[in-house]
Amino acid sequence: MSDTGPVGARSAASISRDVRRGTLALRTLGGDVIDAVEKRNDELRAFVHFDAGEARAACDASHAEGALAGVPIAVKDNIATRGTLTTCASRILSSYRSPNDATVIERLAAAGAWVAGKTNLDEFAMGSSTEHSAFGPTSNPWDPTRVPGGSSGGSAAAVAAGLVPVALGSDTGGSVRQPAAFCGVTGLKPTWGRVSRSGLVAFASSLDQIGIFARSARDCARVLGVIAGHDPRDATTSIEPVPDYESALEGGIAGLSVGIVEGTWETLDDEMRVCFERSLTILRDLGVTVTHVALPSLGLSIAVYYIIANAEASANLARFDGIRYGRRAEGDHTLREGYVRSRTEGFGDEVKRRIMLGTFALSSGYYDEYYGRAQHARAMITAELRAAFGGVDLIAMPTTPTVAFRKGEKLADPLSMYLSDVYTAPANLAGIPAISVPAALSSEGLPIGLQLLGPHFAEPLLLRAAAAFESSLGVPVMVPPR
Ligand code: GLN
């Protein structure tokens, strides 16, 4: 990780060190970030709300102390930031300003970080390409004809392009790990309950978790240490003490056992399969024992995920009706017409599809057949993962079945888009932590990720394994060619 050069291309750890020492002035730093975003954002559309004045004010208001002193952070636009826009990339929230900061934002500010701007996403975090945004798609910095992944595509692109060192996203079925893999950065989805969801606009509450993008495991560890922990405003947060994630990075992973699951990579195309096998060789060279684990119900994950996620979304999105939340349709109408018109005008097609599918899965007569069975299968997947972790420390899988696909390629075929989450959804169903680390470049020069999954609260071990993998890869930072 370079210690000089454009601020956004430096690590959060080195920026905060220099700010604390007084060798990097907040003013210079703010100016550098603003210049970098203004230069690249028209082309990338990583940020959907970036205001140089707001960024400058946020930077000036940050303090030169704390674990993230002076560190600029890009924030997915479904995480509330007080006073500035929080739109979820939806027409229905296009002018919404939150009265509060999300808990994660308060904690970042208390550690000295500042919000550089809000990043693009698939509307309400529903998608795998950031093409379902009311503000237009984000481009992958490695190849602008391709998607950055989704739904946190703007955050992944902002970090990959070196506009900021770290970013926040949300991961309901893979929305941090999949874009991290497509953009060649590290993406961590913590254990469900490890990080407060207060101020995260809910998509599927039993699956949603705020996650972190960075260009190293160390920066992920630094940010996690700041945002993790119990929050009285989110009763689902754990009271488990927050360990020192950074000191857990040391020590290597010799002696660790990593499980691989038959049927998860053998059928991939040659390049993805070879890359996964090479990643296993790197792990073995680090002293890891690789063994097989059985997860017979894993193949149900996508079906289960899309029933449960959509069912929960149909309930969570009921509040956007033009009265409680959301832009109200203009003109005279009855209460009922007002709901219908506000939602018809405010939501995009993918969101409507999810609400209809979710409502159907919960409707009387179908509830047991869909929602009930999905819950049952979810419990099976969770139990199988728990049993697997009785025999191995971590599980390795590809993060994605393909490299970043071309814009437009999957838009007409929702099912093929949904299949992008085949390797990432299981961790959300089980509530366990998982990380995607850059593992290789394809023959076309596109990033490929390796995913590691751990048991509940195994973030220290996941981060240590990610750090070891990263350092033995010989390509610690993968900043895209310009
Ligand atoms: N791609 C998945 C979906 O469309 C996951 C989204 C997410 O994790 N927010 O639901």
Side-chain angles (χ1 to χ4, degrees), residues 54-55 57-58 61 75-87 95-107 109-110 115 118 198-200 233:
E54 279 175 8
V75 177
K76 188 177 184 178
D77 204 30
N78 62 350
I79 297 174
T81 45
R82 188 178 45 186
T84 53
L85 287 166
T86 299
T87 66
S95 57
Y96 178 69
R97 286 175 194 270
S98 168
N100 305 104
D101 275 329
T103 296
V104 289
I105 302 296
E106 282 180 356
R107 290 186 178 179
V115 176
K118 304 298 287 290
S198 176
L200 168 68
R233 295 204 303 234

PDB file of all heavy atoms in Angstrom, residues 54-55 57-58 61 75-87 95-107 109-110 115 118 198-200 233:
ATOM      1  N   GLU A  54     -20.141  20.540   0.907  1.00  0.00           N
ATOM      2  CA  GLU A  54     -20.462  19.638   2.030  1.00  0.00           C
ATOM      3  C   GLU A  54     -19.246  18.804   2.419  1.00  0.00           C
ATOM      4  O   GLU A  54     -18.979  18.584   3.605  1.00  0.00           O
ATOM      5  CB  GLU A  54     -21.606  18.686   1.655  1.00  0.00           C
ATOM      6  CG  GLU A  54     -22.993  19.291   1.775  1.00  0.00           C
ATOM      7  CD  GLU A  54     -24.106  18.355   1.268  1.00  0.00           C
ATOM      8  OE1 GLU A  54     -23.806  17.171   0.954  1.00  0.00           O
ATOM      9  OE2 GLU A  54     -25.251  18.803   1.188  1.00  0.00           O
ATOM     10  N   ALA A  55     -18.514  18.339   1.414  1.00  0.00           N
ATOM     11  CA  ALA A  55     -17.332  17.515   1.697  1.00  0.00           C
ATOM     12  C   ALA A  55     -16.295  18.341   2.448  1.00  0.00           C
ATOM     13  O   ALA A  55     -15.707  17.882   3.435  1.00  0.00           O
ATOM     14  CB  ALA A  55     -16.743  16.964   0.400  1.00  0.00           C
ATOM     15  N   ALA A  57     -16.839  20.965   4.294  1.00  0.00           N
ATOM     16  CA  ALA A  57     -17.313  21.241   5.657  1.00  0.00           C
ATOM     17  C   ALA A  57     -17.137  20.002   6.542  1.00  0.00           C
ATOM     18  O   ALA A  57     -16.736  20.108   7.705  1.00  0.00           O
ATOM     19  CB  ALA A  57     -18.778  21.675   5.626  1.00  0.00           C
ATOM     20  N   ALA A  58     -17.438  18.825   5.976  1.00  0.00           N
ATOM     21  CA  ALA A  58     -17.305  17.588   6.762  1.00  0.00           C
ATOM     22  C   ALA A  58     -15.844  17.358   7.129  1.00  0.00           C
ATOM     23  O   ALA A  58     -15.512  16.978   8.257  1.00  0.00           O
ATOM     24  CB  ALA A  58     -17.851  16.403   5.972  1.00  0.00           C
ATOM     25  N   ALA A  61     -14.745  19.752   9.789  1.00  0.00           N
ATOM     26  CA  ALA A  61     -15.335  19.458  11.105  1.00  0.00           C
ATOM     27  C   ALA A  61     -14.743  18.204  11.744  1.00  0.00           C
ATOM     28  O   ALA A  61     -14.976  17.938  12.921  1.00  0.00           O
ATOM     29  CB  ALA A  61     -16.855  19.304  10.965  1.00  0.00           C
ATOM     30  N   VAL A  75     -20.006   6.624   1.566  1.00  0.00           N
ATOM     31  CA  VAL A  75     -21.090   5.924   2.251  1.00  0.00           C
ATOM     32  C   VAL A  75     -22.214   5.604   1.275  1.00  0.00           C
ATOM     33  O   VAL A  75     -22.720   6.495   0.578  1.00  0.00           O
ATOM     34  CB  VAL A  75     -21.617   6.790   3.427  1.00  0.00           C
ATOM     35  CG1 VAL A  75     -22.805   6.124   4.108  1.00  0.00           C
ATOM     36  CG2 VAL A  75     -20.501   7.053   4.441  1.00  0.00           C
ATOM     37  N   LYS A  76     -22.585   4.340   1.239  1.00  0.00           N
ATOM     38  CA  LYS A  76     -23.691   3.905   0.382  1.00  0.00           C
ATOM     39  C   LYS A  76     -24.937   4.709   0.722  1.00  0.00           C
ATOM     40  O   LYS A  76     -25.213   4.948   1.908  1.00  0.00           O
ATOM     41  CB  LYS A  76     -23.921   2.402   0.617  1.00  0.00           C
ATOM     42  CG  LYS A  76     -24.918   1.746  -0.324  1.00  0.00           C
ATOM     43  CD  LYS A  76     -25.019   0.248  -0.046  1.00  0.00           C
ATOM     44  CE  LYS A  76     -25.927  -0.491  -1.000  1.00  0.00           C
ATOM     45  NZ  LYS A  76     -25.971  -1.955  -0.745  1.00  0.00           N
ATOM     46  N   ASP A  77     -25.684   5.079  -0.309  1.00  0.00           N
ATOM     47  CA  ASP A  77     -26.776   6.017  -0.072  1.00  0.00           C
ATOM     48  C   ASP A  77     -28.048   5.390   0.507  1.00  0.00           C
ATOM     49  O   ASP A  77     -29.134   5.945   0.362  1.00  0.00           O
ATOM     50  CB  ASP A  77     -27.084   6.802  -1.365  1.00  0.00           C
ATOM     51  CG  ASP A  77     -27.754   8.130  -1.052  1.00  0.00           C
ATOM     52  OD1 ASP A  77     -27.485   8.682   0.030  1.00  0.00           O
ATOM     53  OD2 ASP A  77     -28.566   8.615  -1.867  1.00  0.00           O
ATOM     54  N   ASN A  78     -27.902   4.244   1.160  1.00  0.00           N
ATOM     55  CA  ASN A  78     -29.018   3.730   1.965  1.00  0.00           C
ATOM     56  C   ASN A  78     -28.661   3.768   3.460  1.00  0.00           C
ATOM     57  O   ASN A  78     -29.319   3.155   4.278  1.00  0.00           O
ATOM     58  CB  ASN A  78     -29.416   2.299   1.546  1.00  0.00           C
ATOM     59  CG  ASN A  78     -28.282   1.294   1.747  1.00  0.00           C
ATOM     60  OD1 ASN A  78     -27.135   1.663   2.023  1.00  0.00           O
ATOM     61  ND2 ASN A  78     -28.597   0.020   1.606  1.00  0.00           N
ATOM     62  N   ILE A  79     -27.575   4.502   3.775  1.00  0.00           N
ATOM     63  CA  ILE A  79     -27.157   4.679   5.173  1.00  0.00           C
ATOM     64  C   ILE A  79     -27.342   6.161   5.503  1.00  0.00           C
ATOM     65  O   ILE A  79     -26.836   7.032   4.778  1.00  0.00           O
ATOM     66  CB  ILE A  79     -25.688   4.232   5.366  1.00  0.00           C
ATOM     67  CG1 ILE A  79     -25.557   2.727   5.061  1.00  0.00           C
ATOM     68  CG2 ILE A  79     -25.201   4.557   6.776  1.00  0.00           C
ATOM     69  CD1 ILE A  79     -24.134   2.188   5.086  1.00  0.00           C
ATOM     70  N   ALA A  80     -28.087   6.435   6.571  1.00  0.00           N
ATOM     71  CA  ALA A  80     -28.503   7.809   6.857  1.00  0.00           C
ATOM     72  C   ALA A  80     -27.343   8.693   7.295  1.00  0.00           C
ATOM     73  O   ALA A  80     -26.539   8.307   8.153  1.00  0.00           O
ATOM     74  CB  ALA A  80     -29.590   7.800   7.933  1.00  0.00           C
ATOM     75  N   THR A  81     -27.286   9.866   6.667  1.00  0.00           N
ATOM     76  CA  THR A  81     -26.318  10.889   7.069  1.00  0.00           C
ATOM     77  C   THR A  81     -27.123  12.156   7.340  1.00  0.00           C
ATOM     78  O   THR A  81     -27.888  12.594   6.480  1.00  0.00           O
ATOM     79  CB  THR A  81     -25.302  11.152   5.939  1.00  0.00           C
ATOM     80  OG1 THR A  81     -26.008  11.260   4.698  1.00  0.00           O
ATOM     81  CG2 THR A  81     -24.281  10.028   5.837  1.00  0.00           C
ATOM     82  N   ARG A  82     -26.973  12.721   8.494  1.00  0.00           N
ATOM     83  CA  ARG A  82     -27.842  13.822   8.921  1.00  0.00           C
ATOM     84  C   ARG A  82     -27.707  15.046   8.006  1.00  0.00           C
ATOM     85  O   ARG A  82     -26.591  15.478   7.713  1.00  0.00           O
ATOM     86  CB  ARG A  82     -27.518  14.226  10.352  1.00  0.00           C
ATOM     87  CG  ARG A  82     -28.530  15.227  10.921  1.00  0.00           C
ATOM     88  CD  ARG A  82     -28.216  15.552  12.330  1.00  0.00           C
ATOM     89  NE  ARG A  82     -26.774  15.786  12.432  1.00  0.00           N
ATOM     90  CZ  ARG A  82     -26.133  15.982  13.564  1.00  0.00           C
ATOM     91  NH1 ARG A  82     -26.781  15.953  14.692  1.00  0.00           N
ATOM     92  NH2 ARG A  82     -24.842  16.190  13.591  1.00  0.00           N
ATOM     93  N   GLY A  83     -28.858  15.549   7.595  1.00  0.00           N
ATOM     94  CA  GLY A  83     -28.880  16.805   6.849  1.00  0.00           C
ATOM     95  C   GLY A  83     -28.635  16.656   5.361  1.00  0.00           C
ATOM     96  O   GLY A  83     -29.182  17.402   4.567  1.00  0.00           O
ATOM     97  N   THR A  84     -27.836  15.685   4.959  1.00  0.00           N
ATOM     98  CA  THR A  84     -27.572  15.514   3.534  1.00  0.00           C
ATOM     99  C   THR A  84     -28.535  14.460   2.967  1.00  0.00           C
ATOM    100  O   THR A  84     -29.265  13.821   3.706  1.00  0.00           O
ATOM    101  CB  THR A  84     -26.110  15.087   3.296  1.00  0.00           C
ATOM    102  OG1 THR A  84     -25.852  13.944   4.111  1.00  0.00           O
ATOM    103  CG2 THR A  84     -25.153  16.184   3.702  1.00  0.00           C
ATOM    104  N   LEU A  85     -28.525  14.300   1.642  1.00  0.00           N
ATOM    105  CA  LEU A  85     -29.491  13.386   1.031  1.00  0.00           C
ATOM    106  C   LEU A  85     -29.206  11.927   1.389  1.00  0.00           C
ATOM    107  O   LEU A  85     -28.048  11.521   1.523  1.00  0.00           O
ATOM    108  CB  LEU A  85     -29.449  13.544  -0.490  1.00  0.00           C
ATOM    109  CG  LEU A  85     -30.070  14.837  -1.039  1.00  0.00           C
ATOM    110  CD1 LEU A  85     -29.663  15.026  -2.499  1.00  0.00           C
ATOM    111  CD2 LEU A  85     -31.594  14.827  -0.903  1.00  0.00           C
ATOM    112  N   THR A  86     -30.261  11.142   1.543  1.00  0.00           N
ATOM    113  CA  THR A  86     -30.194   9.683   1.676  1.00  0.00           C
ATOM    114  C   THR A  86     -31.328   9.146   0.813  1.00  0.00           C
ATOM    115  O   THR A  86     -32.493   9.154   1.215  1.00  0.00           O
ATOM    116  CB  THR A  86     -30.373   9.243   3.145  1.00  0.00           C
ATOM    117  OG1 THR A  86     -29.310   9.815   3.930  1.00  0.00           O
ATOM    118  CG2 THR A  86     -30.316   7.715   3.276  1.00  0.00           C
ATOM    119  N   THR A  87     -31.021   8.748  -0.418  1.00  0.00           N
ATOM    120  CA  THR A  87     -32.092   8.486  -1.394  1.00  0.00           C
ATOM    121  C   THR A  87     -32.320   7.009  -1.711  1.00  0.00           C
ATOM    122  O   THR A  87     -33.291   6.676  -2.389  1.00  0.00           O
ATOM    123  CB  THR A  87     -31.772   9.164  -2.740  1.00  0.00           C
ATOM    124  OG1 THR A  87     -30.604   8.542  -3.297  1.00  0.00           O
ATOM    125  CG2 THR A  87     -31.539  10.660  -2.570  1.00  0.00           C
ATOM    126  N   SER A  95     -35.644  13.369  -2.509  1.00  0.00           N
ATOM    127  CA  SER A  95     -35.301  14.594  -1.778  1.00  0.00           C
ATOM    128  C   SER A  95     -35.244  14.349  -0.267  1.00  0.00           C
ATOM    129  O   SER A  95     -35.307  15.293   0.519  1.00  0.00           O
ATOM    130  CB  SER A  95     -36.315  15.695  -2.102  1.00  0.00           C
ATOM    131  OG  SER A  95     -37.605  15.223  -1.790  1.00  0.00           O
ATOM    132  N   TYR A  96     -35.107  13.089   0.128  1.00  0.00           N
ATOM    133  CA  TYR A  96     -35.138  12.775   1.565  1.00  0.00           C
ATOM    134  C   TYR A  96     -33.836  13.157   2.271  1.00  0.00           C
ATOM    135  O   TYR A  96     -32.746  12.777   1.844  1.00  0.00           O
ATOM    136  CB  TYR A  96     -35.414  11.270   1.776  1.00  0.00           C
ATOM    137  CG  TYR A  96     -35.408  10.883   3.232  1.00  0.00           C
ATOM    138  CD1 TYR A  96     -36.428  11.315   4.085  1.00  0.00           C
ATOM    139  CD2 TYR A  96     -34.373  10.129   3.771  1.00  0.00           C
ATOM    140  CE1 TYR A  96     -36.408  10.995   5.436  1.00  0.00           C
ATOM    141  CE2 TYR A  96     -34.356   9.799   5.123  1.00  0.00           C
ATOM    142  CZ  TYR A  96     -35.373  10.246   5.946  1.00  0.00           C
ATOM    143  OH  TYR A  96     -35.343   9.931   7.276  1.00  0.00           O
ATOM    144  N   ARG A  97     -33.988  13.892   3.347  1.00  0.00           N
ATOM    145  CA  ARG A  97     -32.840  14.224   4.202  1.00  0.00           C
ATOM    146  C   ARG A  97     -33.119  13.671   5.588  1.00  0.00           C
ATOM    147  O   ARG A  97     -34.132  13.998   6.192  1.00  0.00           O
ATOM    148  CB  ARG A  97     -32.628  15.742   4.278  1.00  0.00           C
ATOM    149  CG  ARG A  97     -32.036  16.283   3.004  1.00  0.00           C
ATOM    150  CD  ARG A  97     -31.929  17.810   2.985  1.00  0.00           C
ATOM    151  NE  ARG A  97     -31.658  18.233   1.609  1.00  0.00           N
ATOM    152  CZ  ARG A  97     -30.441  18.378   1.091  1.00  0.00           C
ATOM    153  NH1 ARG A  97     -29.382  18.170   1.841  1.00  0.00           N
ATOM    154  NH2 ARG A  97     -30.299  18.728  -0.164  1.00  0.00           N
ATOM    155  N   SER A  98     -32.225  12.870   6.087  1.00  0.00           N
ATOM    156  CA  SER A  98     -32.451  12.216   7.373  1.00  0.00           C
ATOM    157  C   SER A  98     -32.215  13.191   8.523  1.00  0.00           C
ATOM    158  O   SER A  98     -31.278  13.988   8.489  1.00  0.00           O
ATOM    159  CB  SER A  98     -31.488  11.025   7.503  1.00  0.00           C
ATOM    160  OG  SER A  98     -31.492  10.563   8.828  1.00  0.00           O
ATOM    161  N   PRO A  99     -33.071  13.120   9.556  1.00  0.00           N
ATOM    162  CA  PRO A  99     -32.829  13.967  10.736  1.00  0.00           C
ATOM    163  C   PRO A  99     -31.684  13.450  11.613  1.00  0.00           C
ATOM    164  O   PRO A  99     -31.211  14.144  12.497  1.00  0.00           O
ATOM    165  CB  PRO A  99     -34.161  13.896  11.499  1.00  0.00           C
ATOM    166  CG  PRO A  99     -34.782  12.605  11.076  1.00  0.00           C
ATOM    167  CD  PRO A  99     -34.306  12.326   9.667  1.00  0.00           C
ATOM    168  N   ASN A 100     -31.248  12.200  11.373  1.00  0.00           N
ATOM    169  CA  ASN A 100     -30.192  11.609  12.225  1.00  0.00           C
ATOM    170  C   ASN A 100     -29.103  10.982  11.382  1.00  0.00           C
ATOM    171  O   ASN A 100     -29.342  10.576  10.258  1.00  0.00           O
ATOM    172  CB  ASN A 100     -30.756  10.457  13.080  1.00  0.00           C
ATOM    173  CG  ASN A 100     -31.937  10.872  13.889  1.00  0.00           C
ATOM    174  OD1 ASN A 100     -33.070  10.539  13.549  1.00  0.00           O
ATOM    175  ND2 ASN A 100     -31.696  11.625  14.945  1.00  0.00           N
ATOM    176  N   ASP A 101     -27.957  10.838  12.017  1.00  0.00           N
ATOM    177  CA  ASP A 101     -26.910   9.997  11.451  1.00  0.00           C
ATOM    178  C   ASP A 101     -27.170   8.551  11.853  1.00  0.00           C
ATOM    179  O   ASP A 101     -27.624   8.287  12.976  1.00  0.00           O
ATOM    180  CB  ASP A 101     -25.546  10.393  12.039  1.00  0.00           C
ATOM    181  CG  ASP A 101     -24.901  11.548  11.294  1.00  0.00           C
ATOM    182  OD1 ASP A 101     -25.125  11.682  10.077  1.00  0.00           O
ATOM    183  OD2 ASP A 101     -24.154  12.312  11.949  1.00  0.00           O
ATOM    184  N   ALA A 102     -26.836   7.623  10.982  1.00  0.00           N
ATOM    185  CA  ALA A 102     -26.805   6.210  11.379  1.00  0.00           C
ATOM    186  C   ALA A 102     -25.762   6.061  12.492  1.00  0.00           C
ATOM    187  O   ALA A 102     -24.805   6.848  12.568  1.00  0.00           O
ATOM    188  CB  ALA A 102     -26.416   5.341  10.189  1.00  0.00           C
ATOM    189  N   THR A 103     -25.928   5.025  13.321  1.00  0.00           N
ATOM    190  CA  THR A 103     -24.958   4.790  14.398  1.00  0.00           C
ATOM    191  C   THR A 103     -23.539   4.645  13.844  1.00  0.00           C
ATOM    192  O   THR A 103     -22.585   5.183  14.405  1.00  0.00           O
ATOM    193  CB  THR A 103     -25.360   3.526  15.187  1.00  0.00           C
ATOM    194  OG1 THR A 103     -26.619   3.792  15.798  1.00  0.00           O
ATOM    195  CG2 THR A 103     -24.335   3.184  16.252  1.00  0.00           C
ATOM    196  N   VAL A 104     -23.391   3.939  12.716  1.00  0.00           N
ATOM    197  CA  VAL A 104     -22.039   3.764  12.152  1.00  0.00           C
ATOM    198  C   VAL A 104     -21.402   5.108  11.802  1.00  0.00           C
ATOM    199  O   VAL A 104     -20.192   5.285  11.958  1.00  0.00           O
ATOM    200  CB  VAL A 104     -22.028   2.845  10.900  1.00  0.00           C
ATOM    201  CG1 VAL A 104     -22.277   1.399  11.274  1.00  0.00           C
ATOM    202  CG2 VAL A 104     -23.018   3.319   9.848  1.00  0.00           C
ATOM    203  N   ILE A 105     -22.215   6.046  11.332  1.00  0.00           N
ATOM    204  CA  ILE A 105     -21.680   7.367  10.961  1.00  0.00           C
ATOM    205  C   ILE A 105     -21.236   8.116  12.223  1.00  0.00           C
ATOM    206  O   ILE A 105     -20.165   8.729  12.249  1.00  0.00           O
ATOM    207  CB  ILE A 105     -22.740   8.186  10.176  1.00  0.00           C
ATOM    208  CG1 ILE A 105     -23.184   7.421   8.905  1.00  0.00           C
ATOM    209  CG2 ILE A 105     -22.227   9.585   9.831  1.00  0.00           C
ATOM    210  CD1 ILE A 105     -22.102   7.196   7.885  1.00  0.00           C
ATOM    211  N   GLU A 106     -22.051   8.039  13.275  1.00  0.00           N
ATOM    212  CA  GLU A 106     -21.652   8.681  14.543  1.00  0.00           C
ATOM    213  C   GLU A 106     -20.324   8.118  15.042  1.00  0.00           C
ATOM    214  O   GLU A 106     -19.453   8.846  15.497  1.00  0.00           O
ATOM    215  CB  GLU A 106     -22.705   8.416  15.628  1.00  0.00           C
ATOM    216  CG  GLU A 106     -23.934   9.269  15.506  1.00  0.00           C
ATOM    217  CD  GLU A 106     -24.946   8.962  16.608  1.00  0.00           C
ATOM    218  OE1 GLU A 106     -24.722   8.033  17.415  1.00  0.00           O
ATOM    219  OE2 GLU A 106     -25.967   9.675  16.649  1.00  0.00           O
ATOM    220  N   ARG A 107     -20.197   6.787  14.951  1.00  0.00           N
ATOM    221  CA  ARG A 107     -18.970   6.158  15.468  1.00  0.00           C
ATOM    222  C   ARG A 107     -17.756   6.514  14.615  1.00  0.00           C
ATOM    223  O   ARG A 107     -16.655   6.719  15.132  1.00  0.00           O
ATOM    224  CB  ARG A 107     -19.156   4.642  15.550  1.00  0.00           C
ATOM    225  CG  ARG A 107     -20.135   4.296  16.650  1.00  0.00           C
ATOM    226  CD  ARG A 107     -20.265   2.812  16.895  1.00  0.00           C
ATOM    227  NE  ARG A 107     -21.197   2.618  18.017  1.00  0.00           N
ATOM    228  CZ  ARG A 107     -21.572   1.463  18.513  1.00  0.00           C
ATOM    229  NH1 ARG A 107     -21.090   0.338  18.007  1.00  0.00           N
ATOM    230  NH2 ARG A 107     -22.414   1.405  19.514  1.00  0.00           N
ATOM    231  N   ALA A 109     -17.387   9.273  12.904  1.00  0.00           N
ATOM    232  CA  ALA A 109     -17.057  10.680  13.191  1.00  0.00           C
ATOM    233  C   ALA A 109     -16.317  10.781  14.521  1.00  0.00           C
ATOM    234  O   ALA A 109     -15.343  11.534  14.644  1.00  0.00           O
ATOM    235  CB  ALA A 109     -18.326  11.526  13.199  1.00  0.00           C
ATOM    236  N   ALA A 110     -16.753  10.002  15.514  1.00  0.00           N
ATOM    237  CA  ALA A 110     -16.086  10.056  16.820  1.00  0.00           C
ATOM    238  C   ALA A 110     -14.641   9.572  16.721  1.00  0.00           C
ATOM    239  O   ALA A 110     -13.792   9.960  17.514  1.00  0.00           O
ATOM    240  CB  ALA A 110     -16.858   9.212  17.830  1.00  0.00           C
ATOM    241  N   VAL A 115     -17.453  11.997   6.150  1.00  0.00           N
ATOM    242  CA  VAL A 115     -18.165  11.450   4.994  1.00  0.00           C
ATOM    243  C   VAL A 115     -17.850  12.302   3.768  1.00  0.00           C
ATOM    244  O   VAL A 115     -18.163  13.490   3.720  1.00  0.00           O
ATOM    245  CB  VAL A 115     -19.691  11.438   5.252  1.00  0.00           C
ATOM    246  CG1 VAL A 115     -20.442  10.967   4.006  1.00  0.00           C
ATOM    247  CG2 VAL A 115     -20.021  10.550   6.445  1.00  0.00           C
ATOM    248  N   LYS A 118     -22.085  10.386  -0.863  1.00  0.00           N
ATOM    249  CA  LYS A 118     -22.957   9.205  -0.842  1.00  0.00           C
ATOM    250  C   LYS A 118     -22.836   8.462  -2.177  1.00  0.00           C
ATOM    251  O   LYS A 118     -22.837   9.088  -3.244  1.00  0.00           O
ATOM    252  CB  LYS A 118     -24.406   9.644  -0.594  1.00  0.00           C
ATOM    253  CG  LYS A 118     -24.609  10.457   0.680  1.00  0.00           C
ATOM    254  CD  LYS A 118     -24.258   9.716   1.972  1.00  0.00           C
ATOM    255  CE  LYS A 118     -25.263   8.642   2.367  1.00  0.00           C
ATOM    256  NZ  LYS A 118     -26.553   9.145   2.823  1.00  0.00           N
ATOM    257  N   SER A 198     -28.912   0.530  12.879  1.00  0.00           N
ATOM    258  CA  SER A 198     -29.710   1.741  13.105  1.00  0.00           C
ATOM    259  C   SER A 198     -29.284   2.819  12.108  1.00  0.00           C
ATOM    260  O   SER A 198     -28.119   3.215  12.076  1.00  0.00           O
ATOM    261  CB  SER A 198     -29.501   2.231  14.537  1.00  0.00           C
ATOM    262  OG  SER A 198     -30.206   3.431  14.716  1.00  0.00           O
ATOM    263  N   GLY A 199     -30.233   3.240  11.280  1.00  0.00           N
ATOM    264  CA  GLY A 199     -29.911   4.232  10.253  1.00  0.00           C
ATOM    265  C   GLY A 199     -29.615   3.623   8.893  1.00  0.00           C
ATOM    266  O   GLY A 199     -29.430   4.339   7.912  1.00  0.00           O
ATOM    267  N   LEU A 200     -29.595   2.302   8.813  1.00  0.00           N
ATOM    268  CA  LEU A 200     -29.515   1.626   7.507  1.00  0.00           C
ATOM    269  C   LEU A 200     -30.957   1.408   7.051  1.00  0.00           C
ATOM    270  O   LEU A 200     -31.760   0.842   7.795  1.00  0.00           O
ATOM    271  CB  LEU A 200     -28.816   0.264   7.643  1.00  0.00           C
ATOM    272  CG  LEU A 200     -28.914  -0.665   6.419  1.00  0.00           C
ATOM    273  CD1 LEU A 200     -28.134  -0.117   5.234  1.00  0.00           C
ATOM    274  CD2 LEU A 200     -28.420  -2.072   6.761  1.00  0.00           C
ATOM    275  N   ARG A 233     -29.710   1.481  20.164  1.00  0.00           N
ATOM    276  CA  ARG A 233     -30.718   1.805  19.141  1.00  0.00           C
ATOM    277  C   ARG A 233     -30.998   0.633  18.198  1.00  0.00           C
ATOM    278  O   ARG A 233     -31.859   0.723  17.327  1.00  0.00           O
ATOM    279  CB  ARG A 233     -30.256   3.020  18.327  1.00  0.00           C
ATOM    280  CG  ARG A 233     -30.168   4.289  19.169  1.00  0.00           C
ATOM    281  CD  ARG A 233     -30.298   5.531  18.319  1.00  0.00           C
ATOM    282  NE  ARG A 233     -29.299   5.585  17.271  1.00  0.00           N
ATOM    283  CZ  ARG A 233     -28.480   6.613  17.070  1.00  0.00           C
ATOM    284  NH1 ARG A 233     -28.543   7.672  17.859  1.00  0.00           N
ATOM    285  NH2 ARG A 233     -27.611   6.592  16.097  1.00  0.00           N
TER     286      ARG A 233
END
